[in-house]
Amino acid sequence: MTRELTAPAGAARLADRRPRWVELSTRSWRGVPIRVWLLVALVTAPLVFFTARFLLDGWLPQGDEAIMAVRARDVWSSHPPLSGMRSTSGLSAPGVAAHHPGPMQFYVLAPLFALTGWWLGSLLVTSLLVTAGFAATAIVAAHRAAGWGAAVVAATVVLAMERLFGEHIVLPWNVWQPTVGLLAVLFLAWRLVLGQLTAMVPYVVCASYVAQGHILFLPVVGLVTASLTVIGLVRWRRKREAYWPIPGYRPSTRQAAWRRRGWITCAVVVLCWLPVLIETMVITPNNVHELLALGTSDEGKPKVGLELGLGFVLSCFVPLADNPVTNVYTHASALQLSLSVLVVVLAVLTLVLPRAYVRRCRLAPVRPGVALGLLSSLPVIWMASSVREELQIAYSVFAIAAALLVTGLVAWWLYRVGVRYVTASVRGVPVAPAAAGVGIALVLMLVSPSFLSGAAMGNYDGDVDRAARVTTAVRSRIASEGLQGRAVAVEVPGRLAWFSLGSAVTAGLTVDGHQVYFDVLWGGLPQDDDHRRLRNAPTDAVKVIIRDRVRGEAWNRHPVPPHPTAVLPFTFVIGPQTVDVEVLIQR
């Protein structure tokens, strides 16, 4: 005879009185608890706010962002991009003219750009979607790798980066999206280390996007990917007693080759890197050659050295008042470096502790993430030590996700050791949610905004305003002169014209349907956008010359037409200087 077990009489009433946060922890959407999606909403809200602010203020791409708009437009032309944005490699290696590794970002920007009728604001919207997608991927992957605590760490790191870089993190500059994307790459890699193979395809997509965006991320992603490849091959060998792709042991039910996860992943890799493969075959010297030359060149000024590079990267682990970027000029304080060294020592300690202690302190979920964060920091230290201009060290801060991940996981470990229970309550206050809230609040209070969101980019709004005024006037005047559809050659013999106004005008005329030709500062080597060089402009192209001078100085000696069709004058006050700008239009 069996005895039926029944719940106590008051259990149902007790369940009805459960706190709301407990109900949220039990509900899920797409296999992920609602509270994790609330973390995603929390980190996405500032990104949406930043984007809305830019759009409402009349944002217009200028500088590198405008060139990216032109390249995104070229995706739909007979000259699609085959390489990324041009880098500043010539500063580190004279004679080297390397592009950033790949053009994947242009292809991602292109669909919405075309669907909206070449609305330039769509670039900002797409950038928001990609950045928010990376943040969501990181948080969800963290939860699937190690649970709620890891998801809180991921959300806190994203919030810290939003605090560090401010509203500029949503701009479609080629470095911003990979900055957040690196965090998604690391958490997806964490899942793969744990054997969660459903993360393979998302990993290669995110890793390809991040690696192609900027040279800084290529060795970081490359080292992580190489490590995962070795782990995967070893596991394949142990399980099947064969080397991949030889199947070895064959189960009774086999999928068709085209449905297997490994082959699907390989196909996605080829698709993501197809333009780079084509560029390698059709352009000489190709970008792969130039990137290798950049990594091996010993010419030019002496390198800044390991001491400065290591100190800079160490400061990224604890980005307090002496923020990482300003350390290029002021160096980190003793307190900041001491805290950073302590974090690194504790991180290494988590990897070497005995297995029995790891089980007792519930440290096992933390270790793969710590290892990946430390591993990813090694190429950053190498690159920061190898540059020849101190200002170039500042680029290393864009890989700060690896350092912040290590710091967050060390803090999580200390929390687990100190509290010992995550879901317990003290006087009715849930410990885990309270600790998460306190941790996020501390990050927002202690992390100091970097100079990238302050002095160095404080004039960004002014740059956009000036570019919008000039671009609008030029587009209107060309239309009123009946020059729609004509090819346009843009010449920029001026510093302000070169860095901002010329590219903004080029992007504006491109979306108006003009074939625009312009020159670049670097030259001599073949490039995938050579069809846009001034030497290839037709003889009947409309000529637009943008020149500028500080008031009181002479104009640049660049030749100008004696009787231009139109002259558009502008005056801008930039800091203590008054700058005169003239746009000359010649039929």
Side-chain angles (χ1 to χ4, degrees):
M1 179 177 178
T2 59
R3 182 179 179 182
E4 183 177 355
L5 298 177
T6 59
R13 293 193 301 272
L14 183 61
D16 292 338
R17 294 198 300 268
R18 289 185 304 177
R20 182 64 175 171
W21 70 271
V22 174
E23 291 187 20
L24 289 177
S25 66
T26 58
R27 295 182 182 179
S28 65
W29 182 67
R30 294 188 176 275
V32 179
I34 294 296
R35 60 177 179 172
V36 175
W37 291 116
L38 292 178
L39 283 180
V40 172
L42 175 66
V43 303
T44 303
L47 302 176
V48 174
F49 175 79
F50 296 154
T51 304
R53 205 281 289 177
F54 278 123
L55 291 175
L56 292 175
D57 286 351
W59 178 84
L60 186 79
Q62 47 87 41
D64 283 352
E65 295 158 1
I67 298 300
M68 294 181 67
V70 175
R71 302 299 300 275
R73 178 67 172 82
D74 283 345
V75 167
W76 306 104
S77 73
S78 58
H79 299 278
L82 301 178
S83 59
M85 292 285 289
R86 177 68 77 176
S87 72
T88 56
S89 55
L91 296 176
S92 294
V96 175
H99 288 257
H100 293 292
M104 192 170 174
Q105 188 173 12
F106 307 143
Y107 289 86
V108 172
L109 292 172
L112 187 59
F113 197 20
L115 289 174
T116 57
W118 315 118
W119 174 47
L120 292 170
S122 68
L123 304 178
L124 202 58
V125 175
T126 301
S127 180
L128 165 67
L129 295 176
V130 173
T131 305
F134 279 140
T137 299
I139 294 171
V140 173
H143 180 266
R144 287 176 172 166
W148 168 251
V152 172
V153 170
T156 305
V157 172
V158 175
L159 288 171
M161 289 191 288
E162 292 173 353
R163 171 70 172 162
L164 273 169
F165 302 121
E167 58 193 2
H168 302 95
I169 201 170
V170 298
L171 293 173
W173 189 32
N174 61 299
V175 77
W176 288 127
Q177 296 161 37
T179 297
V180 180
L182 179 60
L183 186 65
V185 169
L186 294 176
F187 276 109
L188 289 169
W190 188 345
R191 291 188 60 197
L192 292 176
V193 170
L194 297 177
Q196 300 177 12
L197 299 185
T198 55
M200 286 179 64
V201 172
Y203 174 82
V204 298
V205 172
C206 294
S208 298
Y209 193 97
V210 171
Q212 292 187 32
H214 196 279
I215 290 175
L216 169 68
F217 299 101
L218 183 61
V220 178
V221 174
L223 182 59
V224 172
T225 303
S227 302
L228 292 175
T229 302
V230 171
I231 293 173
L233 292 176
V234 170
R235 288 176 176 174
W236 182 281
R237 169 66 179 169
R238 288 178 176 176
K239 181 179 181 180
R240 298 171 179 260
E241 297 183 354
Y243 294 99
W244 189 87
I246 300 174
Y249 168 73
R250 300 183 178 183
S252 56
T253 56
R254 295 183 59 205
Q255 289 182 319
W258 62 272
R259 297 183 63 182
R260 296 176 196 166
R261 187 177 291 112
W263 290 113
I264 293 174
T265 302
C266 291
V268 173
V269 170
V270 172
L271 181 63
C272 290
W273 291 89
L274 184 60
V276 178
L277 296 175
I278 295 174
E279 190 269 349
T280 303
M281 293 184 290
V282 302
I283 295 181
T284 304
N286 56 58
N287 197 44
V288 173
H289 174 274
E290 293 300 299
L291 289 172
L292 290 174
L294 174 63
T296 57
S297 174
D298 290 326
E299 300 181 5
K301 297 172 59 178
K303 298 178 180 179
V304 298
L306 180 62
E307 180 180 355
L308 189 57
L310 178 60
F312 179 87
V313 176
L314 272 178
S315 68
C316 293
F317 284 84
V318 185
L320 300 178
D322 290 324
N323 63 75
V325 180
T326 55
N327 293 337
V328 176
Y329 308 103
T330 63
H331 304 280
S333 67
L335 173 62
Q336 185 178 1
L337 284 179
S338 299
L339 291 175
S340 298
V341 170
L342 177 61
V343 168
V344 174
V345 170
L346 290 174
V348 174
L349 187 61
T350 65
L351 303 178
V352 299
L353 286 172
R355 186 171 299 179
Y357 180 84
V358 170
R359 287 197 300 266
R360 186 167 63 252
C361 293
R362 295 179 293 182
L363 187 56
V366 179
R367 298 175 80 180
V370 172
L372 286 167
L374 292 175
L375 181 70
S376 301
S377 299
L378 296 179
V380 183
I381 295 173
W382 170 68
M383 295 193 71
S385 305
S386 301
V387 299
R388 290 175 168 82
E389 299 285 346
E390 286 196 5
L391 181 61
Q392 288 182 293
I393 300 180
Y395 283 106
S396 301
V397 79
F398 296 120
I400 198 172
L404 292 179
L405 173 61
V406 173
T407 303
L409 291 178
V410 167
W412 182 31
W413 169 47
L414 295 177
Y415 165 78
R416 290 169 70 93
V417 172
V419 178
R420 293 283 187 169
Y421 48 91
V422 179
T423 57
S425 298
V426 178
R427 294 183 180 180
V429 178
V431 172
V438 171
I440 291 174
L442 284 175
V443 166
L444 297 181
M445 287 189 296
L446 296 179
V447 172
S448 175
S450 76
F451 95 114
L452 287 173
S453 61
M457 299 190 74
N459 201 37
Y460 182 83
D461 289 341
D463 291 338
V464 170
D465 180 65
R466 288 185 288 272
R469 287 177 57 189
V470 174
T471 301
T472 301
V474 172
R475 295 168 70 180
S476 299
R477 189 56 181 262
I478 286 181
S480 65
E481 293 287 343
L483 303 176
Q484 297 94 329
R486 291 270 298 275
V488 179
V490 178
E491 301 176 18
V492 285
R495 187 163 180 254
L496 179 62
W498 180 268
F499 285 104
S500 176
L501 304 180
S503 56
V505 169
T506 298
L509 294 176
T510 299
V511 300
D512 285 343
H514 299 274
Q515 181 67 20
V516 184
Y517 299 85
F518 57 93
D519 274 343
V520 293
L521 185 61
W522 44 86
L525 294 180
Q527 302 176 55
D528 63 334
D529 63 343
D530 276 349
H531 64 284
R532 289 194 177 275
R533 299 292 83 85
L534 288 174
R535 64 178 180 271
N536 296 321
T539 55
D540 63 343
V542 177
K543 183 176 291 188
V544 175
I545 300 174
I546 308 173
R547 60 179 183 172
D548 60 79
R549 66 174 181 180
V550 176
R551 180 160 294 180
E553 297 181 0
W555 292 106
N556 187 286
R557 294 184 178 181
H558 185 86
V560 298
H563 305 291
T565 304
V567 177
L568 306 177
F570 302 89
T571 300
F572 301 114
V573 178
I574 305 177
Q577 297 178 330
T578 299
V579 178
D580 295 320
V581 175
E582 273 191 358
V583 180
L584 297 89
I585 302 175
Q586 178 68 42
R587 286 178 176 270

